[in-house]
Amino acid sequence: MMADSFCRDCNKLTEVVFDHSAGDTICSECGLVLEAHSIDKTSEWRTFSNGSSDHDPVRVGGPLNPLLTDGGLSTVIVKPTAGSTQFLSGSLGKWQTRSSNPDRNLIQAFTYISAMSDRLGLVTTIKDRANEIYKKVEDQKPLRGRNLAAIVAACLYIACRQENKPRTVKEFCSVANGTTKKEIGRAKEFIVKHLEAELGQSIEMGTIHASDYLRRFGSYLGMTNQAVKAAQEAVQKSEELDIRRSPISLAAAAIYIITQLSTDPKLLKEISVVTRVAEGTIKNSYRDLYPHLSRIIPDWFANAEDIKSLPF
């Protein structure tokens, strides 16, 4: 969907595109995300009737879930509230209480995955893949007594890697009810082990690159599109060097370097909060990159004199 809006990067009124799948409003000229995770409140007038003469535009009922035994369309009889009829409080309610739902654990896990995805702003494709991963492991019945939060976080972590939209383990810790990095790491190894045993082959999760994080972190820090591009080029060139730092640490260091060369420098504390990388780690990564700054920083963004003015 196209519309006009003011872009602070282009500094003018430009045509924007609304990405319904991600809920993002994007400038069509520079690609800056002007608004993220917005909710589409417009009406959805779609007809799901079979007959051509039926003009009823109403859609009712929840979507089918092929991962559940009944497709997720089972009926639940709720307990009557005070003052309401007691008609359903007899045999029907007792029968439902006594009957066991084979998908009860799955529904609980899927609800947890959905809530965690929403808090992290993950797209539907990642959530659906995490559901599939959980279902495959749950079918082997090895999850009894395990930390559900860690298992769900690990499923989402693997799904993000497979969809080439990696998130850090610390980000999952922030939404997993106090679950630690160690617990999520163990859960990930446990899930990968069972998936590989089921499939009879190794699980591909994709390689993490520092540039994978920069667009998102840059948006959180209010960096310009040009600064984000410069940081992406810097980390891509740094991969050719023998610098033994994690991708997330290199991304944080690149953001610090590029913003110091821009008109809107960011403090180490600001970058640390957004990236969840300790200030000391960012400093050490910066020192590792310092001897190579003239090689990795694009010349269209900063000249040699500006680069030399950066402190060690």
Side-chain angles (χ1 to χ4, degrees), residues 67-114:
L67 300 179
L68 299 177
T69 304
D70 56 9
L73 299 180
S74 59
T75 301
V76 178
I77 304 171
V78 298
K79 295 181 179 180
T81 57
S84 64
T85 177
Q86 300 297 311
F87 179 73
L88 295 178
S89 63
S91 60
L92 286 176
K94 291 178 181 178
W95 178 85
Q96 177 178 265
T97 303
R98 292 170 183 169
S99 64
S100 60
N101 184 351
D103 293 328
R104 182 176 56 189
N105 293 335
L106 272 181
I107 293 172
Q108 181 184 6
F110 291 170
T111 302
Y112 208 162
I113 288 172
S114 179

mmCIF file of all heavy atoms in Angstrom, residues 67-114:
data_model
loop_
_atom_site.group_PDB
_atom_site.id
_atom_site.type_symbol
_atom_site.label_atom_id
_atom_site.label_comp_id
_atom_site.label_asym_id
_atom_site.label_seq_id
_atom_site.Cartn_x
_atom_site.Cartn_y
_atom_site.Cartn_z
ATOM 1 N N LEU A 67 -0.994 -28.222 13.181
ATOM 2 C CA LEU A 67 -0.135 -28.872 14.164
ATOM 3 C C LEU A 67 -0.928 -29.468 15.329
ATOM 4 O O LEU A 67 -0.379 -30.230 16.128
ATOM 5 C CB LEU A 67 0.898 -27.875 14.704
ATOM 6 C CG LEU A 67 1.844 -27.259 13.667
ATOM 7 C CD1 LEU A 67 2.783 -26.281 14.340
ATOM 8 C CD2 LEU A 67 2.630 -28.335 12.940
ATOM 9 N N LEU A 68 -2.228 -29.105 15.434
ATOM 10 C CA LEU A 68 -3.073 -29.626 16.493
ATOM 11 C C LEU A 68 -3.958 -30.746 15.965
ATOM 12 O O LEU A 68 -4.320 -30.763 14.787
ATOM 13 C CB LEU A 68 -3.936 -28.508 17.086
ATOM 14 C CG LEU A 68 -3.178 -27.340 17.726
ATOM 15 C CD1 LEU A 68 -4.153 -26.282 18.212
ATOM 16 C CD2 LEU A 68 -2.305 -27.819 18.881
ATOM 17 N N THR A 69 -4.334 -31.669 16.851
ATOM 18 C CA THR A 69 -5.103 -32.845 16.447
ATOM 19 C C THR A 69 -6.419 -32.470 15.792
ATOM 20 O O THR A 69 -6.806 -33.016 14.757
ATOM 21 C CB THR A 69 -5.381 -33.731 17.675
ATOM 22 O OG1 THR A 69 -4.140 -34.076 18.294
ATOM 23 C CG2 THR A 69 -6.119 -35.003 17.270
ATOM 24 N N ASP A 70 -7.148 -31.515 16.392
ATOM 25 C CA ASP A 70 -8.462 -31.117 15.868
ATOM 26 C C ASP A 70 -8.395 -29.848 15.029
ATOM 27 O O ASP A 70 -9.415 -29.234 14.746
ATOM 28 C CB ASP A 70 -9.456 -30.927 17.009
ATOM 29 C CG ASP A 70 -8.953 -29.916 18.047
ATOM 30 O OD1 ASP A 70 -7.930 -29.264 17.774
ATOM 31 O OD2 ASP A 70 -9.575 -29.787 19.110
ATOM 32 N N GLY A 71 -7.191 -29.462 14.631
ATOM 33 C CA GLY A 71 -7.029 -28.245 13.843
ATOM 34 C C GLY A 71 -7.200 -26.974 14.642
ATOM 35 O O GLY A 71 -7.245 -25.880 14.090
ATOM 36 N N GLY A 72 -7.328 -27.109 15.963
ATOM 37 C CA GLY A 72 -7.518 -25.931 16.809
ATOM 38 C C GLY A 72 -8.930 -25.420 16.821
ATOM 39 O O GLY A 72 -9.183 -24.297 17.248
ATOM 40 N N LEU A 73 -9.881 -26.238 16.376
ATOM 41 C CA LEU A 73 -11.270 -25.805 16.279
ATOM 42 C C LEU A 73 -12.165 -26.483 17.306
ATOM 43 O O LEU A 73 -13.370 -26.595 17.118
ATOM 44 C CB LEU A 73 -11.808 -26.084 14.867
ATOM 45 C CG LEU A 73 -11.083 -25.355 13.733
ATOM 46 C CD1 LEU A 73 -11.702 -25.716 12.405
ATOM 47 C CD2 LEU A 73 -11.124 -23.856 13.943
ATOM 48 N N SER A 74 -11.598 -26.994 18.393
ATOM 49 C CA SER A 74 -12.411 -27.649 19.410
ATOM 50 C C SER A 74 -13.240 -26.618 20.164
ATOM 51 O O SER A 74 -12.910 -25.436 20.220
ATOM 52 C CB SER A 74 -11.507 -28.406 20.389
ATOM 53 O OG SER A 74 -10.601 -27.516 20.996
ATOM 54 N N THR A 75 -14.332 -27.080 20.778
ATOM 55 C CA THR A 75 -15.232 -26.222 21.530
ATOM 56 C C THR A 75 -14.942 -26.337 23.011
ATOM 57 O O THR A 75 -14.791 -27.440 23.535
ATOM 58 C CB THR A 75 -16.699 -26.602 21.270
ATOM 59 O OG1 THR A 75 -16.962 -26.469 19.878
ATOM 60 C CG2 THR A 75 -17.640 -25.706 22.062
ATOM 61 N N VAL A 76 -14.851 -25.213 23.688
ATOM 62 C CA VAL A 76 -14.612 -25.185 25.121
ATOM 63 C C VAL A 76 -15.842 -24.632 25.816
ATOM 64 O O VAL A 76 -16.341 -23.569 25.445
ATOM 65 C CB VAL A 76 -13.378 -24.323 25.474
ATOM 66 C CG1 VAL A 76 -13.190 -24.271 26.983
ATOM 67 C CG2 VAL A 76 -12.140 -24.883 24.795
ATOM 68 N N ILE A 77 -16.375 -25.350 26.797
ATOM 69 C CA ILE A 77 -17.548 -24.921 27.543
ATOM 70 C C ILE A 77 -17.066 -24.184 28.776
ATOM 71 O O ILE A 77 -16.448 -24.770 29.664
ATOM 72 C CB ILE A 77 -18.418 -26.129 27.948
ATOM 73 C CG1 ILE A 77 -18.805 -26.926 26.703
ATOM 74 C CG2 ILE A 77 -19.655 -25.678 28.707
ATOM 75 C CD1 ILE A 77 -19.466 -28.237 27.005
ATOM 76 N N VAL A 78 -17.319 -22.906 28.830
ATOM 77 C CA VAL A 78 -16.831 -22.100 29.949
ATOM 78 C C VAL A 78 -17.747 -22.247 31.143
ATOM 79 O O VAL A 78 -18.923 -22.607 31.020
ATOM 80 C CB VAL A 78 -16.735 -20.605 29.547
ATOM 81 C CG1 VAL A 78 -15.764 -20.424 28.421
ATOM 82 C CG2 VAL A 78 -18.106 -20.058 29.171
ATOM 83 N N LYS A 79 -17.203 -21.975 32.316
ATOM 84 C CA LYS A 79 -18.009 -22.019 33.521
ATOM 85 C C LYS A 79 -18.955 -20.832 33.562
ATOM 86 O O LYS A 79 -18.570 -19.713 33.220
ATOM 87 C CB LYS A 79 -17.094 -21.992 34.754
ATOM 88 C CG LYS A 79 -16.212 -23.221 34.890
ATOM 89 C CD LYS A 79 -15.362 -23.121 36.124
ATOM 90 C CE LYS A 79 -14.479 -24.368 36.275
ATOM 91 N NZ LYS A 79 -13.634 -24.283 37.480
ATOM 92 N N PRO A 80 -20.199 -21.035 33.986
ATOM 93 C CA PRO A 80 -21.148 -19.913 34.025
ATOM 94 C C PRO A 80 -20.759 -18.893 35.075
ATOM 95 O O PRO A 80 -20.203 -19.248 36.128
ATOM 96 C CB PRO A 80 -22.468 -20.605 34.382
ATOM 97 C CG PRO A 80 -22.068 -21.854 35.086
ATOM 98 C CD PRO A 80 -20.791 -22.299 34.441
ATOM 99 N N THR A 81 -21.014 -17.626 34.779
ATOM 100 C CA THR A 81 -20.718 -16.563 35.734
ATOM 101 C C THR A 81 -21.904 -16.377 36.672
ATOM 102 O O THR A 81 -22.996 -16.900 36.444
ATOM 103 C CB THR A 81 -20.440 -15.245 34.997
ATOM 104 O OG1 THR A 81 -21.571 -14.931 34.173
ATOM 105 C CG2 THR A 81 -19.217 -15.379 34.107
ATOM 106 N N ALA A 82 -21.674 -15.608 37.707
ATOM 107 C CA ALA A 82 -22.736 -15.372 38.680
ATOM 108 C C ALA A 82 -23.916 -14.671 38.016
ATOM 109 O O ALA A 82 -23.760 -13.700 37.299
ATOM 110 C CB ALA A 82 -22.202 -14.524 39.829
ATOM 111 N N GLY A 83 -25.123 -15.186 38.275
ATOM 112 C CA GLY A 83 -26.317 -14.580 37.706
ATOM 113 C C GLY A 83 -26.711 -15.132 36.354
ATOM 114 O O GLY A 83 -27.761 -14.809 35.828
ATOM 115 N N SER A 84 -25.838 -15.966 35.726
ATOM 116 C CA SER A 84 -26.161 -16.525 34.421
ATOM 117 C C SER A 84 -26.851 -17.866 34.597
ATOM 118 O O SER A 84 -26.924 -18.430 35.689
ATOM 119 C CB SER A 84 -24.888 -16.681 33.587
ATOM 120 O OG SER A 84 -24.024 -17.621 34.199
ATOM 121 N N THR A 85 -27.345 -18.426 33.510
ATOM 122 C CA THR A 85 -28.032 -19.717 33.554
ATOM 123 C C THR A 85 -27.071 -20.817 33.984
ATOM 124 O O THR A 85 -25.887 -20.796 33.667
ATOM 125 C CB THR A 85 -28.621 -20.060 32.178
ATOM 126 O OG1 THR A 85 -29.217 -21.359 32.255
ATOM 127 C CG2 THR A 85 -27.563 -20.077 31.109
ATOM 128 N N GLN A 86 -27.578 -21.792 34.709
ATOM 129 C CA GLN A 86 -26.770 -22.906 35.187
ATOM 130 C C GLN A 86 -26.916 -24.134 34.292
ATOM 131 O O GLN A 86 -26.556 -25.236 34.667
ATOM 132 C CB GLN A 86 -27.189 -23.269 36.625
ATOM 133 C CG GLN A 86 -27.020 -22.128 37.619
ATOM 134 C CD GLN A 86 -25.579 -21.712 37.760
ATOM 135 O OE1 GLN A 86 -24.714 -22.551 37.940
ATOM 136 N NE2 GLN A 86 -25.327 -20.411 37.686
ATOM 137 N N PHE A 87 -27.448 -23.930 33.074
ATOM 138 C CA PHE A 87 -27.754 -25.056 32.200
ATOM 139 C C PHE A 87 -26.525 -25.884 31.858
ATOM 140 O O PHE A 87 -26.573 -27.101 31.786
ATOM 141 C CB PHE A 87 -28.410 -24.532 30.909
ATOM 142 C CG PHE A 87 -28.739 -25.627 29.928
ATOM 143 C CD1 PHE A 87 -29.793 -26.493 30.167
ATOM 144 C CD2 PHE A 87 -27.979 -25.802 28.780
ATOM 145 C CE1 PHE A 87 -30.100 -27.505 29.265
ATOM 146 C CE2 PHE A 87 -28.275 -26.813 27.879
ATOM 147 C CZ PHE A 87 -29.344 -27.661 28.128
ATOM 148 N N LEU A 88 -25.358 -25.219 31.668
ATOM 149 C CA LEU A 88 -24.148 -25.925 31.251
ATOM 150 C C LEU A 88 -23.263 -26.343 32.416
ATOM 151 O O LEU A 88 -22.162 -26.811 32.217
ATOM 152 C CB LEU A 88 -23.336 -25.031 30.296
ATOM 153 C CG LEU A 88 -23.996 -24.721 28.965
ATOM 154 C CD1 LEU A 88 -23.100 -23.785 28.159
ATOM 155 C CD2 LEU A 88 -24.286 -25.986 28.164
ATOM 156 N N SER A 89 -23.758 -26.140 33.627
ATOM 157 C CA SER A 89 -22.919 -26.451 34.780
ATOM 158 C C SER A 89 -23.062 -27.903 35.226
ATOM 159 O O SER A 89 -22.426 -28.310 36.177
ATOM 160 C CB SER A 89 -23.268 -25.517 35.944
ATOM 161 O OG SER A 89 -24.617 -25.728 36.341
ATOM 162 N N GLY A 90 -23.884 -28.674 34.548
ATOM 163 C CA GLY A 90 -24.116 -30.058 34.933
ATOM 164 C C GLY A 90 -23.236 -31.035 34.216
ATOM 165 O O GLY A 90 -22.009 -30.945 34.237
ATOM 166 N N SER A 91 -23.852 -31.968 33.507
ATOM 167 C CA SER A 91 -23.128 -33.086 32.912
ATOM 168 C C SER A 91 -22.145 -32.659 31.834
ATOM 169 O O SER A 91 -21.058 -33.222 31.723
ATOM 170 C CB SER A 91 -24.129 -34.098 32.324
ATOM 171 O OG SER A 91 -24.923 -33.472 31.336
ATOM 172 N N LEU A 92 -22.514 -31.646 31.026
ATOM 173 C CA LEU A 92 -21.613 -31.224 29.958
ATOM 174 C C LEU A 92 -20.303 -30.680 30.518
ATOM 175 O O LEU A 92 -19.214 -31.010 30.046
ATOM 176 C CB LEU A 92 -22.280 -30.167 29.074
ATOM 177 C CG LEU A 92 -23.368 -30.667 28.112
ATOM 178 C CD1 LEU A 92 -23.983 -29.491 27.380
ATOM 179 C CD2 LEU A 92 -22.776 -31.656 27.116
ATOM 180 N N GLY A 93 -20.423 -29.835 31.531
ATOM 181 C CA GLY A 93 -19.221 -29.279 32.135
ATOM 182 C C GLY A 93 -18.367 -30.341 32.792
ATOM 183 O O GLY A 93 -17.147 -30.329 32.681
ATOM 184 N N LYS A 94 -19.030 -31.296 33.481
ATOM 185 C CA LYS A 94 -18.284 -32.376 34.121
ATOM 186 C C LYS A 94 -17.590 -33.249 33.082
ATOM 187 O O LYS A 94 -16.463 -33.701 33.263
ATOM 188 C CB LYS A 94 -19.225 -33.215 34.983
ATOM 189 C CG LYS A 94 -19.748 -32.479 36.211
ATOM 190 C CD LYS A 94 -20.707 -33.358 36.996
ATOM 191 C CE LYS A 94 -21.249 -32.598 38.212
ATOM 192 N NZ LYS A 94 -22.238 -33.432 38.959
ATOM 193 N N TRP A 95 -18.295 -33.518 31.968
ATOM 194 C CA TRP A 95 -17.701 -34.358 30.916
ATOM 195 C C TRP A 95 -16.465 -33.702 30.331
ATOM 196 O O TRP A 95 -15.455 -34.341 30.087
ATOM 197 C CB TRP A 95 -18.728 -34.596 29.823
ATOM 198 C CG TRP A 95 -18.189 -35.415 28.685
ATOM 199 C CD1 TRP A 95 -18.129 -36.760 28.593
ATOM 200 C CD2 TRP A 95 -17.603 -34.911 27.473
ATOM 201 N NE1 TRP A 95 -17.555 -37.145 27.421
ATOM 202 C CE2 TRP A 95 -17.215 -36.031 26.696
ATOM 203 C CE3 TRP A 95 -17.375 -33.629 26.963
ATOM 204 C CZ2 TRP A 95 -16.618 -35.908 25.453
ATOM 205 C CZ3 TRP A 95 -16.777 -33.507 25.729
ATOM 206 C CH2 TRP A 95 -16.401 -34.640 24.989
ATOM 207 N N GLN A 96 -16.551 -32.376 30.116
ATOM 208 C CA GLN A 96 -15.403 -31.670 29.547
ATOM 209 C C GLN A 96 -14.230 -31.669 30.517
ATOM 210 O O GLN A 96 -13.078 -31.827 30.123
ATOM 211 C CB GLN A 96 -15.776 -30.228 29.209
ATOM 212 C CG GLN A 96 -14.601 -29.413 28.669
ATOM 213 C CD GLN A 96 -15.002 -28.020 28.292
ATOM 214 O OE1 GLN A 96 -15.306 -27.751 27.139
ATOM 215 N NE2 GLN A 96 -15.040 -27.144 29.264
ATOM 216 N N THR A 97 -14.516 -31.518 31.821
ATOM 217 C CA THR A 97 -13.443 -31.509 32.818
ATOM 218 C C THR A 97 -12.736 -32.843 32.873
ATOM 219 O O THR A 97 -11.509 -32.920 32.978
ATOM 220 C CB THR A 97 -14.019 -31.158 34.195
ATOM 221 O OG1 THR A 97 -14.678 -29.897 34.120
ATOM 222 C CG2 THR A 97 -12.914 -31.099 35.248
ATOM 223 N N ARG A 98 -13.528 -33.941 32.767
ATOM 224 C CA ARG A 98 -12.953 -35.273 32.870
ATOM 225 C C ARG A 98 -12.200 -35.674 31.613
ATOM 226 O O ARG A 98 -11.251 -36.452 31.660
ATOM 227 C CB ARG A 98 -14.055 -36.299 33.148
ATOM 228 C CG ARG A 98 -14.680 -36.152 34.538
ATOM 229 C CD ARG A 98 -15.906 -37.014 34.669
ATOM 230 N NE ARG A 98 -16.547 -36.821 35.965
ATOM 231 C CZ ARG A 98 -17.750 -37.290 36.266
ATOM 232 N NH1 ARG A 98 -18.449 -37.970 35.374
ATOM 233 N NH2 ARG A 98 -18.260 -37.069 37.462
ATOM 234 N N SER A 99 -12.639 -35.165 30.466
ATOM 235 C CA SER A 99 -11.993 -35.550 29.216
ATOM 236 C C SER A 99 -10.622 -34.904 29.127
ATOM 237 O O SER A 99 -10.430 -33.770 29.540
ATOM 238 C CB SER A 99 -12.841 -35.130 28.013
ATOM 239 O OG SER A 99 -12.940 -33.726 27.970
ATOM 240 N N SER A 100 -9.669 -35.606 28.577
ATOM 241 C CA SER A 100 -8.304 -35.086 28.447
ATOM 242 C C SER A 100 -8.092 -34.535 27.054
ATOM 243 O O SER A 100 -8.524 -35.136 26.068
ATOM 244 C CB SER A 100 -7.297 -36.201 28.734
ATOM 245 O OG SER A 100 -7.466 -37.263 27.823
ATOM 246 N N ASN A 101 -7.432 -33.391 26.970
ATOM 247 C CA ASN A 101 -7.125 -32.773 25.681
ATOM 248 C C ASN A 101 -5.700 -33.155 25.301
ATOM 249 O O ASN A 101 -4.746 -32.739 25.966
ATOM 250 C CB ASN A 101 -7.263 -31.261 25.782
ATOM 251 C CG ASN A 101 -7.051 -30.572 24.447
ATOM 252 O OD1 ASN A 101 -6.641 -31.191 23.468
ATOM 253 N ND2 ASN A 101 -7.339 -29.278 24.410
ATOM 254 N N PRO A 102 -5.514 -33.945 24.248
ATOM 255 C CA PRO A 102 -4.157 -34.374 23.891
ATOM 256 C C PRO A 102 -3.257 -33.229 23.459
ATOM 257 O O PRO A 102 -2.029 -33.371 23.442
ATOM 258 C CB PRO A 102 -4.408 -35.347 22.728
ATOM 259 C CG PRO A 102 -5.720 -34.922 22.147
ATOM 260 C CD PRO A 102 -6.523 -34.441 23.308
ATOM 261 N N ASP A 103 -3.858 -32.098 23.119
ATOM 262 C CA ASP A 103 -3.071 -30.956 22.639
ATOM 263 C C ASP A 103 -2.855 -29.898 23.717
ATOM 264 O O ASP A 103 -2.415 -28.787 23.409
ATOM 265 C CB ASP A 103 -3.754 -30.312 21.428
ATOM 266 C CG ASP A 103 -3.766 -31.220 20.221
ATOM 267 O OD1 ASP A 103 -2.813 -32.007 20.077
ATOM 268 O OD2 ASP A 103 -4.728 -31.161 19.439
ATOM 269 N N ARG A 104 -3.196 -30.219 24.952
ATOM 270 C CA ARG A 104 -3.123 -29.207 26.004
ATOM 271 C C ARG A 104 -1.721 -28.624 26.139
ATOM 272 O O ARG A 104 -1.543 -27.400 26.206
ATOM 273 C CB ARG A 104 -3.560 -29.826 27.334
ATOM 274 C CG ARG A 104 -3.561 -28.836 28.507
ATOM 275 C CD ARG A 104 -4.091 -29.524 29.751
ATOM 276 N NE ARG A 104 -3.305 -30.731 30.040
ATOM 277 C CZ ARG A 104 -3.646 -31.629 30.968
ATOM 278 N NH1 ARG A 104 -4.763 -31.448 31.656
ATOM 279 N NH2 ARG A 104 -2.884 -32.685 31.188
ATOM 280 N N ASN A 105 -0.704 -29.484 26.174
ATOM 281 C CA ASN A 105 0.673 -29.007 26.306
ATOM 282 C C ASN A 105 1.119 -28.218 25.079
ATOM 283 O O ASN A 105 1.840 -27.221 25.188
ATOM 284 C CB ASN A 105 1.617 -30.184 26.546
ATOM 285 C CG ASN A 105 1.387 -30.860 27.889
ATOM 286 O OD1 ASN A 105 0.889 -30.230 28.825
ATOM 287 N ND2 ASN A 105 1.723 -32.130 27.980
ATOM 288 N N LEU A 106 0.673 -28.671 23.892
ATOM 289 C CA LEU A 106 1.021 -27.954 22.662
ATOM 290 C C LEU A 106 0.418 -26.556 22.657
ATOM 291 O O LEU A 106 1.084 -25.581 22.299
ATOM 292 C CB LEU A 106 0.525 -28.730 21.438
ATOM 293 C CG LEU A 106 1.444 -29.796 20.841
ATOM 294 C CD1 LEU A 106 0.784 -30.438 19.634
ATOM 295 C CD2 LEU A 106 2.784 -29.206 20.454
ATOM 296 N N ILE A 107 -0.850 -26.467 23.050
ATOM 297 C CA ILE A 107 -1.530 -25.165 23.059
ATOM 298 C C ILE A 107 -0.833 -24.218 24.022
ATOM 299 O O ILE A 107 -0.629 -23.034 23.721
ATOM 300 C CB ILE A 107 -3.013 -25.338 23.441
ATOM 301 C CG1 ILE A 107 -3.758 -26.097 22.347
ATOM 302 C CG2 ILE A 107 -3.671 -23.984 23.684
ATOM 303 C CD1 ILE A 107 -5.165 -26.495 22.704
ATOM 304 N N GLN A 108 -0.425 -24.735 25.172
ATOM 305 C CA GLN A 108 0.291 -23.904 26.141
ATOM 306 C C GLN A 108 1.610 -23.400 25.556
ATOM 307 O O GLN A 108 1.955 -22.216 25.691
ATOM 308 C CB GLN A 108 0.557 -24.708 27.419
ATOM 309 C CG GLN A 108 1.279 -23.903 28.495
ATOM 310 C CD GLN A 108 1.629 -24.749 29.715
ATOM 311 O OE1 GLN A 108 1.442 -25.960 29.714
ATOM 312 N NE2 GLN A 108 2.128 -24.110 30.765
ATOM 313 N N ALA A 109 2.341 -24.288 24.897
ATOM 314 C CA ALA A 109 3.626 -23.899 24.309
ATOM 315 C C ALA A 109 3.431 -22.903 23.169
ATOM 316 O O ALA A 109 4.182 -21.925 23.055
ATOM 317 C CB ALA A 109 4.363 -25.138 23.805
ATOM 318 N N PHE A 110 2.425 -23.151 22.309
ATOM 319 C CA PHE A 110 2.168 -22.243 21.184
ATOM 320 C C PHE A 110 1.764 -20.858 21.684
ATOM 321 O O PHE A 110 2.129 -19.840 21.090
ATOM 322 C CB PHE A 110 1.077 -22.806 20.283
ATOM 323 C CG PHE A 110 1.492 -24.039 19.516
ATOM 324 C CD1 PHE A 110 0.561 -24.795 18.811
ATOM 325 C CD2 PHE A 110 2.809 -24.458 19.495
ATOM 326 C CE1 PHE A 110 0.938 -25.919 18.105
ATOM 327 C CE2 PHE A 110 3.206 -25.591 18.800
ATOM 328 C CZ PHE A 110 2.260 -26.322 18.102
ATOM 329 N N THR A 111 1.000 -20.822 22.767
ATOM 330 C CA THR A 111 0.612 -19.531 23.356
ATOM 331 C C THR A 111 1.843 -18.791 23.870
ATOM 332 O O THR A 111 1.986 -17.576 23.695
ATOM 333 C CB THR A 111 -0.384 -19.752 24.505
ATOM 334 O OG1 THR A 111 -1.538 -20.443 24.013
ATOM 335 C CG2 THR A 111 -0.824 -18.423 25.108
ATOM 336 N N TYR A 112 2.748 -19.541 24.489
ATOM 337 C CA TYR A 112 3.980 -18.967 25.012
ATOM 338 C C TYR A 112 4.846 -18.449 23.857
ATOM 339 O O TYR A 112 5.431 -17.351 23.932
ATOM 340 C CB TYR A 112 4.737 -20.037 25.800
ATOM 341 C CG TYR A 112 5.625 -19.514 26.900
ATOM 342 C CD1 TYR A 112 6.071 -20.353 27.911
ATOM 343 C CD2 TYR A 112 6.033 -18.181 26.936
ATOM 344 C CE1 TYR A 112 6.903 -19.886 28.930
ATOM 345 C CE2 TYR A 112 6.855 -17.709 27.936
ATOM 346 C CZ TYR A 112 7.283 -18.568 28.924
ATOM 347 O OH TYR A 112 8.104 -18.087 29.924
ATOM 348 N N ILE A 113 4.945 -19.228 22.783
ATOM 349 C CA ILE A 113 5.725 -18.813 21.609
ATOM 350 C C ILE A 113 5.154 -17.538 21.010
ATOM 351 O O ILE A 113 5.887 -16.615 20.645
ATOM 352 C CB ILE A 113 5.756 -19.942 20.555
ATOM 353 C CG1 ILE A 113 6.657 -21.092 21.036
ATOM 354 C CG2 ILE A 113 6.244 -19.423 19.201
ATOM 355 C CD1 ILE A 113 6.610 -22.320 20.161
ATOM 356 N N SER A 114 3.827 -17.472 20.914
ATOM 357 C CA SER A 114 3.178 -16.286 20.350
ATOM 358 C C SER A 114 3.448 -15.050 21.200
ATOM 359 O O SER A 114 3.768 -13.974 20.674
ATOM 360 C CB SER A 114 1.670 -16.534 20.237
ATOM 361 O OG SER A 114 1.007 -15.408 19.715
#
